[in-house]
Structures are given as C-alpha cells and as structure tokens.
Amino acid sequence: QQQVKQSPQSLIVQKGGISIINCAYENTAFDYFPWYQQFPGKGPALLIAIRPDVSEKKEGRFTISFNKSAKQFSLHIMDSQPGDSATYFCAASEESGYSTLTFGKGTMLLVSP
Amino acid sequence: DTAVSQTPKYLVTQMGNDKSIKCEQNLGHDTMYWYKQDSKKFLKIMFSYNNKELIINETVPNRFSPKSPDKAHLNLHINSLELGDSAVYFCASSQDNPQEETQYFGPGTRLLVL
C-alpha cells in the first residue's frame, strides 16, 4: 500500500523554468512533510519541509505548497538550474513516538541548459 | 567532517554469502535507520533503532539482522545473500526530538549479489 503518491515520475524543464512535483497522501495522522533531494551516487538530503499549520513555505527558489483538505503538497522550483537536476522525494511522517518517513517513489528532474 | 558514514561503499559478492555493512554517525543523534533503495530508486525503511534499542522492524527477511553496539553505530548483517538483495542500502540518523525530525543520510552502500 503506497501511502504517499508522487508524480510525475520524471520531468524535463528548461533552464529558468518552473519545476513542479506533486504528492498526495491518505493518512491523516501525517503531520510532517519533507522533501529530499538526491544526486547520483549520493544519499538523500533534506531540501525543505513543512508542517500542516501553514499552507506555504519558501526557502530561496524552493517552495512547498500544502493543501490539508485535499491531502496534497507540492514542490515548486523557481528559475530551475542545471544544478537542480536530481531525484526529488516527497515524504511524510506521523507525530508518534519515533518518526518514520514514508517516501514517495521519487521524481527524476532534468533541467536542460 | 562526515556526519553519517558507511562502509563499504561498494560490495560485490556471490549468492549465499554473508556480509556486513557498517554505519557510524558523529551527530550525537539518538535514532538510526536502515533504508533499502531498489533499482527504481524506491526508498523503503527497514529498521529503526533508538538508543541501541530496536524500534521499527518492517517486513524484512530474518536474514537481515541489525546490531547497534552503541547509539553512534548501527550495523547491518545479511545472511545467505540472494539476487534480490542487490540494492543500495542507506543508513540515516535523526535526533529524538519532534521539533527536529530531519534525517541525515549516509552515502550509501551499493550491494551487488551475483
């Protein structure tokens, strides 16, 4: 059972464009929604995260939009750069004793020069 | 300074062998994890340890046995390796603090079973 559904599977964006990756979840107990970035041959690294008490969080060119009623959240990368080419994972975890991240299946982003 | 380190980086072995992967974190975190990333890049939690105690054990074959000698180390031993075990294994750690849930991942161990 896939608890976090991520789309698209892959994405090609021109340099300077906006990259948008979407995620949806079913578990209403989820209360922490991070995005991880993974470059080839490296481990995932936290990019940006949001909690349900806000609808948007922005850090530089990266913005998370969160829609609690629709149980959806998305990552927007403004002014996409070739250096942003990587695999992006959305994830979610519950506010329970020990956080366990449930990951989406990932989106391979390629930003063309 | 490497925050979460894993050894070895690459592991090529024959079916039926037993192998171990080591993980160490120098972040002072209380919780450590093992994840498996398959060929389609899907990341799945395998185990979670908090202060050397097993917290989460997902549906993982008994051939996989984690061991935590102290809270800075979480090793993964795999018995009787199978072809389907070929994957990248990531160790991660986090602070046991609901306000700071960031998980820090190691560089991964690429396991190939022939």
Side-chain angles (χ1 to χ4, degrees):
Chain A
Q1 181 183 0
Q2 187 184 349
Q3 293 198 53
V4 179
K5 294 185 178 181
Q6 183 172 347
S7 63
Q9 189 174 355
S10 61
L11 182 60
I12 300 175
V13 173
Q14 286 202 327
K15 179 181 175 181
I18 302 174
S19 305
I20 302 174
I21 305 171
N22 300 300
C23 284
Y25 63 96
E26 291 295 326
N27 186 349
T28 54
F30 284 150
D31 77 330
Y32 174 68
F33 302 89
W35 285 88
Y36 278 77
Q37 180 188 54
Q38 184 179 24
F39 292 106
K42 305 291 186 185
L46 179 70
L47 184 64
I48 186 172
I50 197 168
R51 293 188 184 274
D53 51 348
V54 296
S55 60
E56 186 175 284
K57 183 173 182 180
K58 184 175 181 178
E59 290 183 2
R61 297 184 293 108
F62 301 90
T63 301
I64 300 180
S65 297
F66 184 80
N67 185 331
K68 188 173 181 179
S69 60
K71 291 185 285 187
Q72 294 175 348
F73 59 110
S74 59
L75 176 70
H76 291 64
I77 307 174
M78 311 299 288
D79 187 26
S80 299
Q81 299 296 312
D84 297 330
S85 298
T87 299
Y88 291 81
F89 295 92
C90 63
S93 67
E94 296 182 27
E95 186 185 23
S96 57
Y98 302 100
S99 62
T100 299
L101 289 174
T102 299
F103 283 90
K105 290 195 170 184
T107 297
M108 291 183 64
L109 171 66
L110 176 63
V111 181
S112 58
Chain B
D1 288 343
T2 303
V4 182
S5 59
Q6 294 179 229
T7 55
K9 188 171 182 179
Y10 298 96
L11 191 50
V12 181
T13 188
Q14 300 285 334
M15 262 179 24
N17 284 351
D18 303 337
K19 290 293 179 186
S20 291
I21 306 171
K22 295 186 176 181
C23 177
E24 176 181 2
Q25 54 96 3
N26 63 6
L27 297 168
H29 288 164
D30 301 311
T31 307
M32 296 185 72
Y33 313 81
W34 277 109
Y35 286 87
K36 180 180 180 180
Q37 186 171 48
D38 62 22
S39 58
K40 296 184 179 179
K41 290 195 171 289
F42 183 50
L43 269 167
K44 191 173 184 339
I45 183 76
M46 299 174 68
F47 302 101
S48 171
Y49 268 72
N50 180 269
N51 283 315
K52 302 194 300 175
E53 290 193 16
L54 180 65
I55 300 301
I56 290 166
N57 182 348
E58 291 294 321
T59 310
V60 178
N62 290 337
R63 300 181 294 102
F64 291 79
S65 53
K67 284 187 173 53
S68 182
D70 55 64
K71 76 172 193 177
H73 295 83
L74 180 62
N75 303 323
L76 184 64
H77 189 75
I78 314 171
N79 289 325
S80 303
L81 278 155
E82 299 178 357
L83 294 176
D85 297 332
S86 296
V88 183
Y89 292 85
F90 287 100
C91 176
S93 72
S94 68
Q95 191 57 278
D96 184 15
N97 178 354
Q99 299 307 314
E100 181 47 65
E101 298 184 56
T102 304
Q103 291 189 18
Y104 294 82
F105 284 76
T109 295
R110 286 138 191 86
L111 172 64
L112 178 60
V113 182
L114 302 174

